[in-house]
PDB file of all heavy atoms in Angstrom:
ATOM      1  N   ASN A  50     -11.108  -8.031  -3.334  1.00  0.00           N
ATOM      2  CA  ASN A  50      -9.722  -7.790  -2.903  1.00  0.00           C
ATOM      3  C   ASN A  50      -9.044  -9.095  -2.501  1.00  0.00           C
ATOM      4  O   ASN A  50      -7.869  -9.301  -2.786  1.00  0.00           O
ATOM      5  CB  ASN A  50      -9.690  -6.818  -1.725  1.00  0.00           C
ATOM      6  CG  ASN A  50     -10.094  -5.422  -2.109  1.00  0.00           C
ATOM      7  OD1 ASN A  50     -10.432  -5.148  -3.266  1.00  0.00           O
ATOM      8  ND2 ASN A  50     -10.062  -4.520  -1.156  1.00  0.00           N
ATOM      9  N   VAL A  51      -9.794  -9.956  -1.824  1.00  0.00           N
ATOM     10  CA  VAL A  51      -9.232 -11.226  -1.357  1.00  0.00           C
ATOM     11  C   VAL A  51      -8.831 -12.109  -2.541  1.00  0.00           C
ATOM     12  O   VAL A  51      -7.743 -12.696  -2.555  1.00  0.00           O
ATOM     13  CB  VAL A  51     -10.230 -11.962  -0.428  1.00  0.00           C
ATOM     14  CG1 VAL A  51      -9.750 -13.356  -0.092  1.00  0.00           C
ATOM     15  CG2 VAL A  51     -10.458 -11.154   0.838  1.00  0.00           C
ATOM     16  N   GLU A  52      -9.693 -12.191  -3.546  1.00  0.00           N
ATOM     17  CA  GLU A  52      -9.366 -12.996  -4.733  1.00  0.00           C
ATOM     18  C   GLU A  52      -8.097 -12.484  -5.415  1.00  0.00           C
ATOM     19  O   GLU A  52      -7.221 -13.279  -5.777  1.00  0.00           O
ATOM     20  CB  GLU A  52     -10.545 -12.987  -5.724  1.00  0.00           C
ATOM     21  CG  GLU A  52     -11.749 -13.744  -5.233  1.00  0.00           C
ATOM     22  CD  GLU A  52     -13.007 -13.484  -6.049  1.00  0.00           C
ATOM     23  OE1 GLU A  52     -13.070 -12.495  -6.809  1.00  0.00           O
ATOM     24  OE2 GLU A  52     -13.950 -14.285  -5.909  1.00  0.00           O
ATOM     25  N   ILE A  53      -7.986 -11.172  -5.561  1.00  0.00           N
ATOM     26  CA  ILE A  53      -6.798 -10.587  -6.195  1.00  0.00           C
ATOM     27  C   ILE A  53      -5.569 -10.785  -5.305  1.00  0.00           C
ATOM     28  O   ILE A  53      -4.484 -11.088  -5.796  1.00  0.00           O
ATOM     29  CB  ILE A  53      -7.001  -9.088  -6.498  1.00  0.00           C
ATOM     30  CG1 ILE A  53      -8.142  -8.889  -7.498  1.00  0.00           C
ATOM     31  CG2 ILE A  53      -5.722  -8.457  -7.013  1.00  0.00           C
ATOM     32  CD1 ILE A  53      -7.864  -9.297  -8.917  1.00  0.00           C
ATOM     33  N   SER A  54      -5.719 -10.648  -3.993  1.00  0.00           N
ATOM     34  CA  SER A  54      -4.562 -10.821  -3.106  1.00  0.00           C
ATOM     35  C   SER A  54      -4.035 -12.251  -3.174  1.00  0.00           C
ATOM     36  O   SER A  54      -2.827 -12.468  -3.160  1.00  0.00           O
ATOM     37  CB  SER A  54      -4.872 -10.410  -1.669  1.00  0.00           C
ATOM     38  OG  SER A  54      -5.743 -11.319  -1.046  1.00  0.00           O
ATOM     39  N   HIS A  55      -4.921 -13.233  -3.278  1.00  0.00           N
ATOM     40  CA  HIS A  55      -4.478 -14.625  -3.435  1.00  0.00           C
ATOM     41  C   HIS A  55      -3.798 -14.825  -4.784  1.00  0.00           C
ATOM     42  O   HIS A  55      -2.771 -15.507  -4.873  1.00  0.00           O
ATOM     43  CB  HIS A  55      -5.648 -15.590  -3.289  1.00  0.00           C
ATOM     44  CG  HIS A  55      -6.151 -15.711  -1.895  1.00  0.00           C
ATOM     45  ND1 HIS A  55      -7.428 -16.098  -1.586  1.00  0.00           N
ATOM     46  CD2 HIS A  55      -5.553 -15.475  -0.702  1.00  0.00           C
ATOM     47  CE1 HIS A  55      -7.597 -16.102  -0.279  1.00  0.00           C
ATOM     48  NE2 HIS A  55      -6.475 -15.721   0.273  1.00  0.00           N
ATOM     49  N   TYR A  56      -4.349 -14.246  -5.821  1.00  0.00           N
ATOM     50  CA  TYR A  56      -3.775 -14.361  -7.169  1.00  0.00           C
ATOM     51  C   TYR A  56      -2.361 -13.787  -7.210  1.00  0.00           C
ATOM     52  O   TYR A  56      -1.451 -14.393  -7.755  1.00  0.00           O
ATOM     53  CB  TYR A  56      -4.688 -13.641  -8.175  1.00  0.00           C
ATOM     54  CG  TYR A  56      -4.140 -13.561  -9.568  1.00  0.00           C
ATOM     55  CD1 TYR A  56      -4.103 -14.682 -10.397  1.00  0.00           C
ATOM     56  CD2 TYR A  56      -3.671 -12.359 -10.077  1.00  0.00           C
ATOM     57  CE1 TYR A  56      -3.607 -14.612 -11.685  1.00  0.00           C
ATOM     58  CE2 TYR A  56      -3.178 -12.275 -11.369  1.00  0.00           C
ATOM     59  CZ  TYR A  56      -3.150 -13.397 -12.171  1.00  0.00           C
ATOM     60  OH  TYR A  56      -2.652 -13.306 -13.447  1.00  0.00           O
ATOM     61  N   GLN A  57      -2.186 -12.607  -6.601  1.00  0.00           N
ATOM     62  CA  GLN A  57      -0.882 -11.953  -6.626  1.00  0.00           C
ATOM     63  C   GLN A  57       0.053 -12.426  -5.526  1.00  0.00           C
ATOM     64  O   GLN A  57       1.260 -12.191  -5.594  1.00  0.00           O
ATOM     65  CB  GLN A  57      -1.035 -10.425  -6.513  1.00  0.00           C
ATOM     66  CG  GLN A  57      -1.567  -9.783  -7.755  1.00  0.00           C
ATOM     67  CD  GLN A  57      -1.448  -8.275  -7.701  1.00  0.00           C
ATOM     68  OE1 GLN A  57      -0.792  -7.703  -6.836  1.00  0.00           O
ATOM     69  NE2 GLN A  57      -2.085  -7.611  -8.631  1.00  0.00           N
ATOM     70  N   GLY A  58      -0.502 -13.048  -4.490  1.00  0.00           N
ATOM     71  CA  GLY A  58       0.328 -13.470  -3.367  1.00  0.00           C
ATOM     72  C   GLY A  58       0.792 -12.312  -2.514  1.00  0.00           C
ATOM     73  O   GLY A  58       1.911 -12.308  -2.012  1.00  0.00           O
ATOM     74  N   VAL A  59      -0.067 -11.295  -2.366  1.00  0.00           N
ATOM     75  CA  VAL A  59       0.262 -10.135  -1.527  1.00  0.00           C
ATOM     76  C   VAL A  59      -0.863  -9.916  -0.526  1.00  0.00           C
ATOM     77  O   VAL A  59      -1.936 -10.500  -0.631  1.00  0.00           O
ATOM     78  CB  VAL A  59       0.479  -8.850  -2.365  1.00  0.00           C
ATOM     79  CG1 VAL A  59       1.667  -9.008  -3.298  1.00  0.00           C
ATOM     80  CG2 VAL A  59      -0.758  -8.467  -3.143  1.00  0.00           C
ATOM     81  N   GLU A  60      -0.618  -9.047   0.441  1.00  0.00           N
ATOM     82  CA  GLU A  60      -1.588  -8.765   1.494  1.00  0.00           C
ATOM     83  C   GLU A  60      -2.765  -7.954   0.952  1.00  0.00           C
ATOM     84  O   GLU A  60      -2.617  -7.148   0.039  1.00  0.00           O
ATOM     85  CB  GLU A  60      -0.909  -7.993   2.628  1.00  0.00           C
ATOM     86  CG  GLU A  60       0.224  -8.749   3.297  1.00  0.00           C
ATOM     87  CD  GLU A  60      -0.239 -10.011   4.004  1.00  0.00           C
ATOM     88  OE1 GLU A  60      -1.300  -9.973   4.652  1.00  0.00           O
ATOM     89  OE2 GLU A  60       0.448 -11.043   3.888  1.00  0.00           O
ATOM     90  N   LYS A  61      -3.918  -8.164   1.571  1.00  0.00           N
ATOM     91  CA  LYS A  61      -5.144  -7.489   1.146  1.00  0.00           C
ATOM     92  C   LYS A  61      -5.036  -5.954   1.192  1.00  0.00           C
ATOM     93  O   LYS A  61      -5.516  -5.283   0.273  1.00  0.00           O
ATOM     94  CB  LYS A  61      -6.318  -7.976   1.989  1.00  0.00           C
ATOM     95  CG  LYS A  61      -7.646  -7.433   1.550  1.00  0.00           C
ATOM     96  CD  LYS A  61      -8.769  -7.923   2.447  1.00  0.00           C
ATOM     97  CE  LYS A  61      -9.997  -7.069   2.214  1.00  0.00           C
ATOM     98  NZ  LYS A  61     -10.863  -6.997   3.346  1.00  0.00           N
ATOM     99  N   PRO A  62      -4.404  -5.341   2.223  1.00  0.00           N
ATOM    100  CA  PRO A  62      -4.306  -3.872   2.236  1.00  0.00           C
ATOM    101  C   PRO A  62      -3.569  -3.309   1.007  1.00  0.00           C
ATOM    102  O   PRO A  62      -3.907  -2.229   0.525  1.00  0.00           O
ATOM    103  CB  PRO A  62      -3.541  -3.562   3.524  1.00  0.00           C
ATOM    104  CG  PRO A  62      -3.812  -4.740   4.406  1.00  0.00           C
ATOM    105  CD  PRO A  62      -3.901  -5.924   3.479  1.00  0.00           C
ATOM    106  N   THR A  63      -2.596  -4.052   0.509  1.00  0.00           N
ATOM    107  CA  THR A  63      -1.875  -3.621  -0.691  1.00  0.00           C
ATOM    108  C   THR A  63      -2.840  -3.559  -1.876  1.00  0.00           C
ATOM    109  O   THR A  63      -2.826  -2.598  -2.656  1.00  0.00           O
ATOM    110  CB  THR A  63      -0.718  -4.593  -1.003  1.00  0.00           C
ATOM    111  OG1 THR A  63       0.137  -4.655   0.137  1.00  0.00           O
ATOM    112  CG2 THR A  63       0.065  -4.173  -2.227  1.00  0.00           C
ATOM    113  N   ILE A  64      -3.678  -4.571  -1.997  1.00  0.00           N
ATOM    114  CA  ILE A  64      -4.653  -4.621  -3.088  1.00  0.00           C
ATOM    115  C   ILE A  64      -5.683  -3.511  -2.915  1.00  0.00           C
ATOM    116  O   ILE A  64      -6.070  -2.856  -3.887  1.00  0.00           O
ATOM    117  CB  ILE A  64      -5.339  -6.003  -3.153  1.00  0.00           C
ATOM    118  CG1 ILE A  64      -4.309  -7.106  -3.391  1.00  0.00           C
ATOM    119  CG2 ILE A  64      -6.434  -6.030  -4.212  1.00  0.00           C
ATOM    120  CD1 ILE A  64      -3.474  -6.942  -4.643  1.00  0.00           C
ATOM    121  N   THR A  65      -6.110  -3.273  -1.692  1.00  0.00           N
ATOM    122  CA  THR A  65      -7.088  -2.220  -1.417  1.00  0.00           C
ATOM    123  C   THR A  65      -6.566  -0.872  -1.893  1.00  0.00           C
ATOM    124  O   THR A  65      -7.293  -0.110  -2.547  1.00  0.00           O
ATOM    125  CB  THR A  65      -7.424  -2.176   0.088  1.00  0.00           C
ATOM    126  OG1 THR A  65      -7.945  -3.457   0.474  1.00  0.00           O
ATOM    127  CG2 THR A  65      -8.429  -1.095   0.409  1.00  0.00           C
ATOM    128  N   ARG A  66      -5.300  -0.572  -1.596  1.00  0.00           N
ATOM    129  CA  ARG A  66      -4.703   0.699  -2.039  1.00  0.00           C
ATOM    130  C   ARG A  66      -4.619   0.767  -3.559  1.00  0.00           C
ATOM    131  O   ARG A  66      -4.890   1.804  -4.163  1.00  0.00           O
ATOM    132  CB  ARG A  66      -3.313   0.880  -1.415  1.00  0.00           C
ATOM    133  CG  ARG A  66      -3.333   1.250   0.053  1.00  0.00           C
ATOM    134  CD  ARG A  66      -1.958   1.644   0.564  1.00  0.00           C
ATOM    135  NE  ARG A  66      -0.967   0.589   0.425  1.00  0.00           N
ATOM    136  CZ  ARG A  66      -0.760  -0.384   1.312  1.00  0.00           C
ATOM    137  NH1 ARG A  66      -1.495  -0.440   2.398  1.00  0.00           N
ATOM    138  NH2 ARG A  66       0.168  -1.283   1.114  1.00  0.00           N
ATOM    139  N   THR A  67      -4.233  -0.352  -4.178  1.00  0.00           N
ATOM    140  CA  THR A  67      -4.102  -0.367  -5.634  1.00  0.00           C
ATOM    141  C   THR A  67      -5.466  -0.214  -6.295  1.00  0.00           C
ATOM    142  O   THR A  67      -5.607   0.527  -7.279  1.00  0.00           O
ATOM    143  CB  THR A  67      -3.391  -1.646  -6.113  1.00  0.00           C
ATOM    144  OG1 THR A  67      -2.158  -1.779  -5.403  1.00  0.00           O
ATOM    145  CG2 THR A  67      -3.093  -1.587  -7.598  1.00  0.00           C
ATOM    146  N   PHE A  68      -6.476  -0.902  -5.771  1.00  0.00           N
ATOM    147  CA  PHE A  68      -7.842  -0.734  -6.283  1.00  0.00           C
ATOM    148  C   PHE A  68      -8.277   0.725  -6.170  1.00  0.00           C
ATOM    149  O   PHE A  68      -8.887   1.278  -7.079  1.00  0.00           O
ATOM    150  CB  PHE A  68      -8.834  -1.616  -5.523  1.00  0.00           C
ATOM    151  CG  PHE A  68      -9.149  -2.918  -6.202  1.00  0.00           C
ATOM    152  CD1 PHE A  68      -9.142  -4.098  -5.474  1.00  0.00           C
ATOM    153  CD2 PHE A  68      -9.470  -2.990  -7.548  1.00  0.00           C
ATOM    154  CE1 PHE A  68      -9.453  -5.313  -6.080  1.00  0.00           C
ATOM    155  CE2 PHE A  68      -9.768  -4.191  -8.164  1.00  0.00           C
ATOM    156  CZ  PHE A  68      -9.763  -5.361  -7.424  1.00  0.00           C
ATOM    157  N   ALA A  69      -7.960   1.363  -5.040  1.00  0.00           N
ATOM    158  CA  ALA A  69      -8.349   2.759  -4.828  1.00  0.00           C
ATOM    159  C   ALA A  69      -7.717   3.657  -5.890  1.00  0.00           C
ATOM    160  O   ALA A  69      -8.385   4.550  -6.433  1.00  0.00           O
ATOM    161  CB  ALA A  69      -7.955   3.214  -3.423  1.00  0.00           C
ATOM    162  N   SER A  70      -6.451   3.419  -6.198  1.00  0.00           N
ATOM    163  CA  SER A  70      -5.787   4.247  -7.216  1.00  0.00           C
ATOM    164  C   SER A  70      -6.397   3.999  -8.597  1.00  0.00           C
ATOM    165  O   SER A  70      -6.574   4.935  -9.378  1.00  0.00           O
ATOM    166  CB  SER A  70      -4.273   3.999  -7.233  1.00  0.00           C
ATOM    167  OG  SER A  70      -3.960   2.722  -7.739  1.00  0.00           O
ATOM    168  N   LEU A  71      -6.741   2.750  -8.896  1.00  0.00           N
ATOM    169  CA  LEU A  71      -7.369   2.438 -10.189  1.00  0.00           C
ATOM    170  C   LEU A  71      -8.786   3.015 -10.267  1.00  0.00           C
ATOM    171  O   LEU A  71      -9.218   3.465 -11.335  1.00  0.00           O
ATOM    172  CB  LEU A  71      -7.405   0.920 -10.411  1.00  0.00           C
ATOM    173  CG  LEU A  71      -6.061   0.265 -10.691  1.00  0.00           C
ATOM    174  CD1 LEU A  71      -6.184  -1.258 -10.646  1.00  0.00           C
ATOM    175  CD2 LEU A  71      -5.503   0.717 -12.037  1.00  0.00           C
ATOM    176  N   GLU A  72      -9.473   3.032  -9.138  1.00  0.00           N
ATOM    177  CA  GLU A  72     -10.820   3.607  -9.104  1.00  0.00           C
ATOM    178  C   GLU A  72     -10.746   5.119  -9.323  1.00  0.00           C
ATOM    179  O   GLU A  72     -11.547   5.699 -10.058  1.00  0.00           O
ATOM    180  CB  GLU A  72     -11.484   3.270  -7.771  1.00  0.00           C
ATOM    181  CG  GLU A  72     -12.975   3.467  -7.760  1.00  0.00           C
ATOM    182  CD  GLU A  72     -13.638   2.879  -6.521  1.00  0.00           C
ATOM    183  OE1 GLU A  72     -12.958   2.620  -5.502  1.00  0.00           O
ATOM    184  OE2 GLU A  72     -14.863   2.678  -6.594  1.00  0.00           O
ATOM    185  N   GLU A  73      -9.733   5.742  -8.712  1.00  0.00           N
ATOM    186  CA  GLU A  73      -9.522   7.182  -8.876  1.00  0.00           C
ATOM    187  C   GLU A  73      -9.251   7.533 -10.342  1.00  0.00           C
ATOM    188  O   GLU A  73      -9.687   8.577 -10.839  1.00  0.00           O
ATOM    189  CB  GLU A  73      -8.324   7.607  -8.013  1.00  0.00           C
ATOM    190  CG  GLU A  73      -8.398   9.002  -7.488  1.00  0.00           C
ATOM    191  CD  GLU A  73      -7.277   9.247  -6.494  1.00  0.00           C
ATOM    192  OE1 GLU A  73      -7.424   8.847  -5.321  1.00  0.00           O
ATOM    193  OE2 GLU A  73      -6.252   9.828  -6.915  1.00  0.00           O
ATOM    194  N   LEU A  74      -8.534   6.657 -11.037  1.00  0.00           N
ATOM    195  CA  LEU A  74      -8.237   6.869 -12.461  1.00  0.00           C
ATOM    196  C   LEU A  74      -9.451   6.582 -13.348  1.00  0.00           C
ATOM    197  O   LEU A  74      -9.429   6.886 -14.545  1.00  0.00           O
ATOM    198  CB  LEU A  74      -7.065   5.972 -12.891  1.00  0.00           C
ATOM    199  CG  LEU A  74      -5.699   6.313 -12.306  1.00  0.00           C
ATOM    200  CD1 LEU A  74      -4.705   5.175 -12.550  1.00  0.00           C
ATOM    201  CD2 LEU A  74      -5.180   7.617 -12.913  1.00  0.00           C
ATOM    202  N   GLY A  75     -10.472   5.961 -12.776  1.00  0.00           N
ATOM    203  CA  GLY A  75     -11.663   5.629 -13.549  1.00  0.00           C
ATOM    204  C   GLY A  75     -11.561   4.313 -14.296  1.00  0.00           C
ATOM    205  O   GLY A  75     -12.374   4.032 -15.176  1.00  0.00           O
ATOM    206  N   TYR A  76     -10.575   3.472 -13.923  1.00  0.00           N
ATOM    207  CA  TYR A  76     -10.348   2.204 -14.626  1.00  0.00           C
ATOM    208  C   TYR A  76     -11.164   1.047 -14.053  1.00  0.00           C
ATOM    209  O   TYR A  76     -11.396   0.066 -14.740  1.00  0.00           O
ATOM    210  CB  TYR A  76      -8.874   1.822 -14.594  1.00  0.00           C
ATOM    211  CG  TYR A  76      -7.959   2.804 -15.295  1.00  0.00           C
ATOM    212  CD1 TYR A  76      -6.587   2.741 -15.119  1.00  0.00           C
ATOM    213  CD2 TYR A  76      -8.438   3.809 -16.128  1.00  0.00           C
ATOM    214  CE1 TYR A  76      -5.728   3.628 -15.758  1.00  0.00           C
ATOM    215  CE2 TYR A  76      -7.592   4.695 -16.760  1.00  0.00           C
ATOM    216  CZ  TYR A  76      -6.241   4.609 -16.568  1.00  0.00           C
ATOM    217  OH  TYR A  76      -5.392   5.483 -17.192  1.00  0.00           O
ATOM    218  N   VAL A  77     -11.548   1.165 -12.773  1.00  0.00           N
ATOM    219  CA  VAL A  77     -12.353   0.117 -12.138  1.00  0.00           C
ATOM    220  C   VAL A  77     -13.498   0.766 -11.380  1.00  0.00           C
ATOM    221  O   VAL A  77     -13.441   1.955 -11.023  1.00  0.00           O
ATOM    222  CB  VAL A  77     -11.525  -0.782 -11.172  1.00  0.00           C
ATOM    223  CG1 VAL A  77     -10.392  -1.489 -11.892  1.00  0.00           C
ATOM    224  CG2 VAL A  77     -11.010   0.016  -9.989  1.00  0.00           C
ATOM    225  N   SER A  78     -14.534  -0.020 -11.155  1.00  0.00           N
ATOM    226  CA  SER A  78     -15.667   0.439 -10.354  1.00  0.00           C
ATOM    227  C   SER A  78     -16.217  -0.744  -9.571  1.00  0.00           C
ATOM    228  O   SER A  78     -15.900  -1.899  -9.882  1.00  0.00           O
ATOM    229  CB  SER A  78     -16.753   1.036 -11.249  1.00  0.00           C
ATOM    230  OG  SER A  78     -17.279   0.040 -12.110  1.00  0.00           O
ATOM    231  N   GLN A  79     -17.037  -0.442  -8.573  1.00  0.00           N
ATOM    232  CA  GLN A  79     -17.637  -1.513  -7.781  1.00  0.00           C
ATOM    233  C   GLN A  79     -18.725  -2.207  -8.581  1.00  0.00           C
ATOM    234  O   GLN A  79     -19.481  -1.564  -9.309  1.00  0.00           O
ATOM    235  CB  GLN A  79     -18.217  -0.957  -6.491  1.00  0.00           C
ATOM    236  CG  GLN A  79     -17.152  -0.540  -5.510  1.00  0.00           C
ATOM    237  CD  GLN A  79     -17.742  -0.175  -4.170  1.00  0.00           C
ATOM    238  OE1 GLN A  79     -18.732  -0.755  -3.735  1.00  0.00           O
ATOM    239  NE2 GLN A  79     -17.136   0.801  -3.510  1.00  0.00           N
ATOM    240  N   ALA A  80     -18.762  -3.516  -8.446  1.00  0.00           N
ATOM    241  CA  ALA A  80     -19.791  -4.332  -9.085  1.00  0.00           C
ATOM    242  C   ALA A  80     -20.642  -4.955  -7.993  1.00  0.00           C
ATOM    243  O   ALA A  80     -20.153  -5.198  -6.894  1.00  0.00           O
ATOM    244  CB  ALA A  80     -19.133  -5.428  -9.933  1.00  0.00           C
ATOM    245  N   PRO A  81     -21.905  -5.216  -8.274  1.00  0.00           N
ATOM    246  CA  PRO A  81     -22.733  -5.861  -7.248  1.00  0.00           C
ATOM    247  C   PRO A  81     -22.186  -7.237  -6.886  1.00  0.00           C
ATOM    248  O   PRO A  81     -21.754  -7.996  -7.762  1.00  0.00           O
ATOM    249  CB  PRO A  81     -24.103  -5.997  -7.916  1.00  0.00           C
ATOM    250  CG  PRO A  81     -24.007  -5.347  -9.251  1.00  0.00           C
ATOM    251  CD  PRO A  81     -22.591  -4.987  -9.505  1.00  0.00           C
ATOM    252  N   GLY A  82     -22.164  -7.540  -5.583  1.00  0.00           N
ATOM    253  CA  GLY A  82     -21.685  -8.835  -5.104  1.00  0.00           C
ATOM    254  C   GLY A  82     -22.837  -9.749  -4.741  1.00  0.00           C
ATOM    255  O   GLY A  82     -24.006  -9.405  -4.930  1.00  0.00           O
ATOM    256  N   LYS A  83     -22.480 -10.915  -4.203  1.00  0.00           N
ATOM    257  CA  LYS A  83     -23.499 -11.884  -3.777  1.00  0.00           C
ATOM    258  C   LYS A  83     -24.335 -11.340  -2.624  1.00  0.00           C
ATOM    259  O   LYS A  83     -25.505 -11.627  -2.507  1.00  0.00           O
ATOM    260  CB  LYS A  83     -22.829 -13.200  -3.364  1.00  0.00           C
ATOM    261  CG  LYS A  83     -22.171 -13.935  -4.502  1.00  0.00           C
ATOM    262  CD  LYS A  83     -21.409 -15.148  -4.005  1.00  0.00           C
ATOM    263  CE  LYS A  83     -20.573 -15.735  -5.131  1.00  0.00           C
ATOM    264  NZ  LYS A  83     -19.546 -16.626  -4.634  1.00  0.00           N
ATOM    265  N   ASP A  84     -23.680 -10.578  -1.750  1.00  0.00           N
ATOM    266  CA  ASP A  84     -24.418  -9.897  -0.680  1.00  0.00           C
ATOM    267  C   ASP A  84     -23.832  -8.504  -0.512  1.00  0.00           C
ATOM    268  O   ASP A  84     -22.842  -8.154  -1.145  1.00  0.00           O
ATOM    269  CB  ASP A  84     -24.385 -10.703   0.623  1.00  0.00           C
ATOM    270  CG  ASP A  84     -22.985 -10.857   1.201  1.00  0.00           C
ATOM    271  OD1 ASP A  84     -22.236  -9.863   1.259  1.00  0.00           O
ATOM    272  OD2 ASP A  84     -22.646 -11.976   1.610  1.00  0.00           O
ATOM    273  N   LYS A  85     -24.443  -7.703   0.344  1.00  0.00           N
ATOM    274  CA  LYS A  85     -24.042  -6.299   0.472  1.00  0.00           C
ATOM    275  C   LYS A  85     -22.641  -6.124   1.054  1.00  0.00           C
ATOM    276  O   LYS A  85     -22.008  -5.101   0.852  1.00  0.00           O
ATOM    277  CB  LYS A  85     -25.067  -5.536   1.314  1.00  0.00           C
ATOM    278  CG  LYS A  85     -26.392  -5.389   0.609  1.00  0.00           C
ATOM    279  CD  LYS A  85     -27.389  -4.637   1.450  1.00  0.00           C
ATOM    280  CE  LYS A  85     -28.721  -4.575   0.683  1.00  0.00           C
ATOM    281  NZ  LYS A  85     -29.733  -3.843   1.389  1.00  0.00           N
ATOM    282  N   ARG A  86     -22.160  -7.123   1.786  1.00  0.00           N
ATOM    283  CA  ARG A  86     -20.819  -7.026   2.393  1.00  0.00           C
ATOM    284  C   ARG A  86     -19.710  -7.257   1.379  1.00  0.00           C
ATOM    285  O   ARG A  86     -18.594  -6.789   1.564  1.00  0.00           O
ATOM    286  CB  ARG A  86     -20.677  -8.030   3.536  1.00  0.00           C
ATOM    287  CG  ARG A  86     -21.581  -7.727   4.716  1.00  0.00           C
ATOM    288  CD  ARG A  86     -21.538  -8.847   5.706  1.00  0.00           C
ATOM    289  NE  ARG A  86     -22.073 -10.051   5.062  1.00  0.00           N
ATOM    290  CZ  ARG A  86     -21.911 -11.277   5.479  1.00  0.00           C
ATOM    291  NH1 ARG A  86     -21.227 -11.517   6.569  1.00  0.00           N
ATOM    292  NH2 ARG A  86     -22.427 -12.297   4.835  1.00  0.00           N
TER     293      ARG A  86
END
Side-chain angles (χ1 to χ4, degrees):
N50 291 1
V51 172
E52 291 167 343
I53 297 288
S54 71
H55 288 155
Y56 174 74
Q57 287 191 11
V59 297
E60 299 296 319
K61 185 182 165 207
T63 303
I64 300 303
T65 301
R66 286 190 300 274
T67 307
F68 263 133
S70 70
L71 289 170
E72 196 169 18
E73 211 172 279
L74 292 167
Y76 297 167
V77 300
S78 64
Q79 288 188 34
K83 293 174 189 163
D84 64 46
K85 291 180 182 182
R86 294 172 297 163

